[in-house]
Amino acid sequence: PAADPAFIIVEAIRFRFGGSLLYIPKGDKMTREIRNAELCAAFTGHNHRELALRYHLGLAAVYDIIAAHRNTK
């Protein structure tokens, strides 16, 4: 029978990094960037409030995300 994939991964990490201090980021920045890109793609020019509700954000945050997206173009 095949070994559990999670066990294989953990063993590889243990073998490579065992005994050392290892920092594993949570990935919040990437998650936020993906959400912001999706939000901007869904923006029609008049649906700020809908996007705020859909993404559980304040209206000001939606305006800020859209403005930041426009400034990077």
Side-chain angles (χ1 to χ4, degrees), residues 2-25:
D4 180 20
F7 178 77
I8 293 169
I9 293 168
V10 169
E11 280 299 298
I13 292 170
R14 185 188 61 78
F15 179 77
R16 171 67 175 88
F17 299 103
S20 63
L21 183 61
L22 179 65
Y23 172 72
I24 301 174

Side-chain angles (χ1 to χ4, degrees), residues 49-70:
R49 196 170 303 281
E50 174 193 330
L51 294 172
L53 292 170
R54 181 186 309 172
Y55 291 98
H56 307 286
L57 296 169
L59 198 52
V62 171
Y63 278 98
D64 290 344
I65 291 166
I66 293 166
H69 178 72
R70 284 183 179 153

Side-chain angles (χ1 to χ4, degrees), residues 27-42:
D28 290 346
K29 183 177 180 184
M30 181 184 296
T31 302
R32 238 186 343 269
E33 287 176 4
I34 292 168
R35 179 210 56 207
N36 292 354
E38 289 174 354
L39 185 149
C40 290

